[in-house]
């Protein structure tokens, strides 16, 4: 693998870059009734991520309209399990028990070679665990700013 690590928060490497999304944390970051149907809320996020995977993520530098197309992985847990991307653009990892541990395991698997991994979460404990593995971390607001409008 030949990617480079992100140069700054929110900046994805050019190749072999991965975006790992803490679905529960991102969905839970907005009080929009997600708790009434967790699977539907997760599906809505996955649908937006699938569109993002197709159009790419605008570079933070904004130089010449550059875009990145990272491999997008979302981790679901509990009642949100079963949500999927019908287009196959987003990989969904359904955690058996502990979503945070599934994210850590996913990051560990992806960090081989020179791959860059960015995790979307606001969970401080998870943030610390994935940063120890070499991943960059951004918050849910960063992701929401890049998603297509609801």
């Amino acid at each position: 693998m030949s990617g480079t690590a992100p140069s700054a928060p929110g900046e994805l490497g050019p190749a072999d870059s991965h975006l790992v999304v803490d679905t529960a944390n991102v969905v839970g970051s907005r009080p929009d009734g997600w708790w009434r149907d967790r699977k539907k809320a997760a599906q809505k996020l996955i649908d937006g991520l699938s569109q993002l995977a197709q159009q790419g993520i605008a570079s933070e530098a904004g130089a010449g309209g550059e875009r990145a197309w990272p491999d997008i992985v979302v981790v679901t847990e509990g009642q949100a399990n079963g949500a999927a991307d019908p287009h196959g653009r987003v990989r969904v990892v359904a955690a058996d028990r502990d979503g945070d541990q599934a994210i850590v395991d996913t990051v560990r698997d992806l960090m081989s070679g020179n791959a860059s991994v960015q995790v979307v979460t606001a969970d401080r404990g998870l943030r610390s665990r994935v940063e120890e593995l070499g991943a960059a971390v951004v918050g849910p607001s960063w992701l929401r700013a890049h998603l297509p409008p609801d």
Side-chain angles (χ1 to χ4, degrees), residues 119-135:
V119 177
V120 182
T121 188
D123 181 312
R124 290 183 197 163
L126 178 59
R127 176 185 199 108
S128 176
R129 291 171 69 190
V130 298
E131 285 178 337
E132 286 177 12
L133 296 172

Side-chain angles (χ1 to χ4, degrees), residues 5-13 19 57-62 68 70 117-120 127 136-139 142-143 146:
S7 58
E11 193 85 13
L12 293 170
L19 184 66
I57 299 173
S59 169
E60 296 296 315
V117 178
Q118 187 164 17
V119 177
V120 182
R127 176 185 199 108
V137 179
V138 293
W142 175 88
L143 179 61
H146 287 85

Side-chain angles (χ1 to χ4, degrees), residues 4-117:
T4 59
S7 58
E11 193 85 13
L12 293 170
D16 290 332
S17 62
H18 308 276
L19 184 66
V20 179
V21 181
D22 180 350
T23 302
N25 194 264
V26 173
V27 167
S29 70
R30 288 199 329 203
D32 60 2
W34 60 265
W35 53 88
R36 290 189 288 269
D37 189 340
R38 293 168 196 250
K39 184 176 176 183
K40 181 178 178 183
Q43 187 62 57
K44 182 177 176 182
L45 175 61
I46 291 168
D47 291 346
L49 288 166
S50 182
Q51 289 180 40
L52 190 62
Q54 184 177 30
Q55 70 189 29
I57 299 173
S59 169
E60 296 296 315
E66 292 181 23
R67 301 184 92 60
W69 283 269
D71 168 50
I72 299 176
V73 181
V74 299
V75 177
T76 61
E77 61 185 288
Q79 295 174 1
N81 283 348
D85 180 8
H87 305 291
R89 297 180 198 124
V90 173
R91 182 164 50 113
V92 179
V93 174
D96 291 329
R97 293 184 175 183
D98 181 356
D100 286 2
Q101 186 60 51
I103 291 167
V104 170
D105 293 344
T106 299
V107 168
R108 186 176 289 114
D109 290 345
L110 295 172
M111 290 298 297
S112 63
N114 291 323
S116 67
V117 178

